[in-house]
Amino acid sequence: MPVAPALVRLRVRDDSVYITHGNSVLCTQRDGWLEGRAEQGLLVHETRLLSRYVCRLNGTRPTPVALSHVTQNSWLGYYIVAAPGHEDGGASLTAPDGAAQQSIELRVSRVLGDGLHEDMDVTNFTQQSVQLQLALEVDGDFADQDETAGKREQFGTLTRQWAADAEAATLTLDYRAEHRYDVQGNQGLARLHRALQLRIVRAGSAAQMRDGHIVFDITLAPQASWHACLLWQPLMEERLLLAPVDCHGFDQQRDATDEAFLADATQFSSAESETLSGVVIRAAQQARRDLLDLRMPALDTSAKAWTVAAGVPMYASLFGRDPLTAAWEAALLGPEVMRGTLPVLAARQGKVINDWRDEQPGRMLHEAHDGPAKVLNYNPKSISYGALTASGFFPFVAAQLWFWTGDKSAVEPFIEPALKSLAWMASSTDEHGFVQYKTRSEQGVRNQGWKDSGDAIVYADGRQVAAPIAPCEEQGILYAARLNLAAVLWWFGRRDEARQLFRAARELKRRFNATFWMEPEGCFAMALDARGELVRSIGSNVAHCVATGIVDKARVPRVLDRLFAEDMYSGWGLRTLSSLHPAYNPYSYHRGTVWPVEHGPFAVGAYRYGCHERVEQICRGMFEAAALFESCRLPECFSGHARDALHPFPALYPAANSPQAWSATTVFTLLQALFGLQPFAPLRMLFVDPHMPTWLPEITLRGLRVGDAVVDLRFFRKADGGSDYAVLDSRGGRLHVVRQPSPWSLTAHFGERAKDLALSIMPGR
């Protein structure tokens, strides 16, 4: 099958353009302006500060002629209108020649930081002087992000104030609201104060307020230009206005933390040009940038420790499982996201019983939002704990930080939070010891496993499964969490606790394989229902069980054969639900779409069991999918349509986020599986076991960090079809790079005393 049809380039949310930075999102129409549509606006901390923003020149909407991102947080638009007296030549999209021949150009440059810096430049490209009027319609509604596409809950007081002097003109939109709440034992009066200030400086003519519009009267000689800077400054509660970035070009917007990460993070290169190598390199480099662009500077622990928003435009906030997933998957780049995510979530670990928020002591955060409806407590999402997955991922990621860094001082603060997290999971098991969920909140998330949409868990006949539910993948996540944390405890001298966790993991694996297995299907059940009966649906959930290592080795070939049957494998990736299932829908969030984030762990799982042909199949499908998307950027998810002659590319999930943190980082996990790369910094060792496919015959990693060592590695395919590696350079601390031919023989490197725990080196073991 070809890599991709040459002209296919899929663009997520094709009707919108969004530039992002941390908790700030500017989402506009394709033409760059705002007219109050759902999800669009200038949203800062999930508050739509700016909902309407329209520009006219001489009463005409200018024609866009070139619009594009420059970086993820910057954008440039070129527009033209016909010069006065030449309107009959056509300034519309249907007849643009007149405007092109007698052009007045408007150039709009935007750079988004904590605020927005916008440059407007109007140039007269005619041979006659012209008089123009530039008018801006500006308004904000201060809707919660969720309210922009649904029913509004919170209504406050919005005031608008205009002031002008010789230095600047200022429009201030000031919003105040309050809400008295009483729900499930949570009572109080919540207040909100947010504002947006537009300061217009360095304008070529005075800004005036006329009929509710900001108006500039402009006179331009031939070839002359007019300029104005628009500084959009948000106010959050009583904090000072956050200064917008200074705009001196599009390539100078990185701060010291950004620059340090770009300098230190592993880089990728390849000399190949006629294979998928170019796509792999572009996907990896784009993913590096996307991860950094999703960084939330307000939550930085240090310049070397930061966390990320889940995705944009709709998930520009702190979650639990999303940054934890991205953190361990991004470890190939460096430990920064692990170092930054673990303390942020440990500080927010559940401390009390609060049913409205689904909080219990030890439970890890699911999501934290600061949109108006959340801050005012119309719902519990300002801080909510309605998920199982984050509580299992936290100890797992703490262990990954240990394996990659060997830094006791960095890892030790997270051991107790990790143990508390596991203790909470143990308290949330059924009578057979399987972890399960059921929301206690009247406004809570119904499904709280890996697939958390309300209709994700279905019986084989299509009926919805009622809680409590014990999903198969969550048993695997608990297994991996116990096993990995046991390895850390062993190294920290807590041997009895390590043995206890290891035995609990081993017993869970035994019971899981005995209980969840469906012999006729050659696969594991999706879940156990409230009666302890099998939910016999086939979905991608089961692949997570392979990924985490809870599946008995003898059953893995049958499981993978079932998962890669035509009803599950679309040709691009594994569907979330079998296409033979009565509830299958290729567009449904968790009942038929393909999620890139799942495929990095799937590849690691296939590698662990020695199924290298499946590793290659998973990786090739994902990179060939990446080739279809703009900038080789994998989106949150895409449709489950079969890859065949009638479907040369999949459809898009309409509300997919892109960039999405864990879709970006799955690229690195795919590569880690192809390289068989397993770090063990405590012993200054890096295991590699490359199996390079024909479509990726060679690739070089520069600046890979393990412990205090930095190494450059080249992986390549040999003439005889085998694979090998070369250490190009090693600097910093000592590091032994060892060819490890089988993930099942690691104990040879550690001796008998570590026999029980050695397999925990590989992610998920």
Side-chain angles (χ1 to χ4, degrees):
M1 223 174 241
V3 170
L7 294 180
V8 174
R9 285 297 178 270
L10 302 180
R11 189 176 185 279
V12 178
R13 294 174 178 259
D14 197 47
D15 61 342
S16 301
V17 174
Y18 43 94
I19 62 175
T20 64
H21 176 80
N23 291 106
S24 302
V25 177
L26 175 63
C27 183
T28 70
Q29 301 163 178
R30 286 298 304 274
D31 66 1
W33 305 108
L34 296 169
E35 295 184 272
R37 296 181 184 175
E39 299 184 358
Q40 295 181 348
L42 174 60
L43 293 109
V44 179
H45 291 277
E46 301 177 300
T47 309
R48 184 160 70 177
L49 306 179
L50 182 64
S51 56
R52 183 167 182 82
Y53 185 30
V54 175
C55 175
R56 289 182 172 84
L57 274 172
N58 282 1
T60 300
R61 293 281 288 268
T63 299
V65 290
L67 311 169
S68 180
H69 281 92
V70 180
T71 61
Q72 184 59 36
N73 74 320
S74 63
W75 179 91
L76 173 62
Y78 295 92
Y79 304 81
I80 58 175
V81 297
H86 294 274
E87 290 85 350
D88 292 340
S92 69
L93 288 171
T94 57
D97 289 353
Q101 300 307 316
Q102 299 291 334
S103 300
I104 304 298
E105 178 196 74
L106 168 66
R107 188 173 74 253
V108 180
S109 310
R110 294 170 176 158
V111 179
L112 184 66
D114 289 326
L116 174 68
H117 184 120
E118 192 170 41
D119 285 324
M120 285 195 173
D121 294 274
V122 180
T123 303
N124 176 14
F125 286 112
T126 75
Q127 299 179 55
Q128 299 177 351
S129 294
V130 296
Q131 290 188 343
L132 305 166
Q133 185 184 86
L134 187 151
L136 303 176
E137 298 179 35
V138 176
D139 204 2
D141 62 4
F142 292 81
D144 185 279
Q145 177 175 265
D146 293 340
E147 293 174 329
T148 67
K151 180 182 177 181
R152 182 149 184 168
E153 293 182 291
Q154 50 91 28
F155 298 90
T157 301
L158 175 61
T159 59
R160 301 168 179 84
Q161 183 176 359
W162 173 260
D165 57 31
E167 297 296 324
T170 303
L171 173 65
T172 302
L173 306 177
D174 190 275
Y175 182 79
R176 298 171 188 264
E178 63 181 35
H179 174 230
R180 189 171 295 281
Y181 60 97
D182 184 355
V183 55
Q184 285 189 266
N186 294 262
Q187 301 174 339
L189 177 65
R191 291 186 173 90
L192 180 89
H193 177 208
R194 298 187 176 179
L196 177 66
Q197 184 184 84
L198 167 61
R199 295 186 66 244
I200 302 167
V201 299
R202 297 189 285 277
S205 57
Q208 304 174 57
M209 181 63 70
R210 299 180 194 163
D211 299 324
H213 299 165
I214 301 171
V215 177
F216 302 89
D217 294 321
I218 302 171
T219 300
L220 288 177
Q223 306 300 314
S225 295
W226 173 94
H227 173 82
C229 286
L230 281 70
L231 310 179
W232 304 84
Q233 299 174 279
L235 173 68
M236 295 290 110
E237 314 319 330
E238 301 304 323
R239 297 201 301 272
L240 295 175
L241 288 170
L242 302 168
V245 292
D246 197 7
C247 189
H248 295 294
F250 295 109
D251 58 349
Q252 301 175 9
Q253 305 307 323
R254 297 291 187 189
D255 64 15
T257 298
D258 291 353
E259 295 293 350
F261 179 71
L262 290 173
D264 294 343
T266 304
Q267 300 187 46
F268 307 84
S269 63
S270 174
E272 296 292 329
S273 59
E274 297 184 1
T275 63
L276 264 176
S277 297
V279 172
V280 172
I281 297 303
R282 289 195 296 276
Q285 299 292 36
Q286 183 63 48
R288 275 178 22 126
R289 291 189 293 269
D290 286 345
L291 191 66
L292 198 53
D293 288 330
L294 290 167
R295 172 184 151 232
M296 294 189 288
L299 296 178
D300 288 358
T301 303
S302 73
K304 298 286 188 178
W306 42 271
T307 192
V308 292
V312 293
M314 296 306 295
Y315 298 147
S317 53
L318 177 67
F319 284 75
R321 63 184 191 166
D322 297 68
L324 285 168
T325 301
W328 82 262
E329 289 195 338
L332 195 68
L333 297 181
E336 285 84 354
V337 187
M338 290 190 291
R339 288 183 183 272
T341 299
L342 289 167
V344 167
L345 294 181
R348 291 161 174 79
Q349 188 170 24
K351 297 176 176 63
V352 299
I353 294 176
N354 185 329
D355 287 350
W356 187 50
R357 300 188 185 278
D358 269 322
E359 180 181 3
Q360 292 100 37
R363 194 172 193 180
M364 281 295 167
L365 176 80
H366 175 48
E367 55 187 337
H369 299 275
D370 44 19
K374 287 85 170 181
V375 171
L376 291 168
N377 286 318
Y378 282 91
N379 61 59
K381 291 184 178 180
S382 62
I383 184 162
S384 175
Y385 295 82
L388 280 181
T389 315
S391 296
F393 275 178
F394 186 92
F396 174 79
V397 175
Q400 296 309 306
L401 181 62
W402 172 244
F403 299 147
W404 277 96
T405 68
D407 185 344
K408 280 195 170 184
S409 64
V411 174
E412 190 167 25
F414 308 123
I415 291 179
E416 292 308 319
L419 288 170
K420 290 178 182 177
S421 181
L422 289 179
W424 173 80
M425 294 189 79
S427 72
S428 299
T429 56
D430 62 18
E431 65 270 23
H432 304 294
F434 296 118
V435 64
Q436 62 181 4
Y437 62 76
K438 180 178 181 179
T439 181
R440 302 181 183 186
S441 175
E442 295 174 359
Q443 296 174 279
V445 178
R446 176 182 176 182
N447 285 321
Q448 300 187 353
W450 172 253
K451 296 176 181 176
D452 58 355
S453 56
D455 59 0
I457 310 300
V458 287
Y459 287 110
D461 61 5
R463 291 177 297 123
Q464 295 291 311
V465 181
I469 299 171
C472 65
E473 76 279 1
E474 297 296 338
Q475 316 313 314
I477 291 168
L478 176 57
Y479 169 78
R482 286 172 172 171
L483 204 59
N484 279 264
L485 191 62
V488 176
L489 291 172
W490 187 274
W491 279 86
F492 277 70
R494 300 170 68 162
R495 303 295 173 84
D496 290 341
E497 292 169 286
R499 292 187 184 95
Q500 183 180 4
L501 275 183
F502 177 76
R503 290 170 185 145
R506 185 166 55 186
E507 174 59 19
L508 176 61
K509 181 173 183 174
R510 184 194 65 77
R511 283 186 284 102
F512 173 82
N513 282 271
T515 304
F516 278 74
W517 180 248
M518 302 185 298
E519 178 60 30
E521 293 87 347
C523 198
F524 291 91
M526 179 178 286
L528 298 181
D529 68 10
R531 300 182 301 275
E533 296 180 1
L534 297 178
V535 177
R536 306 185 74 90
S537 299
I538 305 296
S540 62
N541 310 59
V542 176
H544 290 277
C545 300
V546 177
T548 53
I550 197 172
V551 176
D552 282 342
K553 184 180 179 182
R555 285 175 170 166
V556 169
R558 287 189 68 191
V559 171
L560 291 179
D561 285 347
R562 180 65 191 89
L563 292 175
F564 281 88
E566 288 187 5
D567 63 308
M568 277 299 298
Y569 186 68
S570 73
W572 306 107
L574 291 178
R575 298 181 178 95
T576 44
L577 187 67
S578 163
S579 63
L580 298 177
H581 196 285
Y584 167 74
N585 174 355
Y587 295 98
S588 174
Y589 204 48
H590 289 136
R591 290 184 289 105
T593 50
V594 173
W595 283 66
V597 60
E598 296 192 302
H599 289 73
F602 295 171
V604 168
Y607 165 79
R608 176 185 301 107
Y609 290 99
C611 301
H612 301 294
E613 72 287 352
R614 295 300 189 193
V615 176
E616 190 272 342
Q617 186 177 6
I618 293 167
C619 295
R620 177 168 185 163
M622 276 294 106
F623 284 118
E624 288 181 337
L628 302 173
F629 289 93
E630 205 172 45
S631 303
C632 294
R633 174 190 278 164
L634 288 166
E636 179 182 11
C637 58
F638 52 86
S639 79
H641 287 109
R643 183 182 183 182
D644 55 30
L646 296 177
H647 305 88
F649 56 86
L652 297 176
Y653 178 71
N657 287 264
S658 180
Q660 183 93 349
W662 60 19
S663 292
T665 55
T666 204
V667 171
F668 309 120
T669 321
L670 294 170
L671 292 174
Q672 187 176 349
L674 285 173
F675 306 150
L677 193 149
Q678 306 171 63
F680 201 66
L683 287 181
R684 298 185 175 274
M685 300 188 79
L686 175 66
F687 299 101
V688 295
D689 180 26
H691 291 262
M692 306 299 289
T694 55
W695 49 266
L696 186 62
E698 71 91 21
I699 189 171
T700 298
L701 277 60
R702 298 189 184 277
L704 178 70
R705 288 170 283 167
V706 179
D708 56 0
V710 182
V711 64
D712 299 343
L713 295 170
R714 178 173 176 262
F715 298 98
F716 56 92
R717 187 176 174 86
K718 299 190 295 185
D720 62 5
S723 298
D724 209 343
Y725 74 98
V727 178
L728 305 180
D729 186 32
S730 183
R731 50 204 179 273
R734 291 183 296 108
L735 184 68
H736 307 286
V737 182
V738 178
R739 179 67 180 260
Q740 198 291 109
S742 167
W744 297 99
S745 62
L746 290 178
T747 52
H749 296 292
F750 301 100
E752 282 300 312
R753 72 181 185 87
K755 180 178 179 181
D756 286 341
L757 300 174
L759 291 180
S760 64
I761 293 169
M762 190 63 181
R765 290 299 303 157

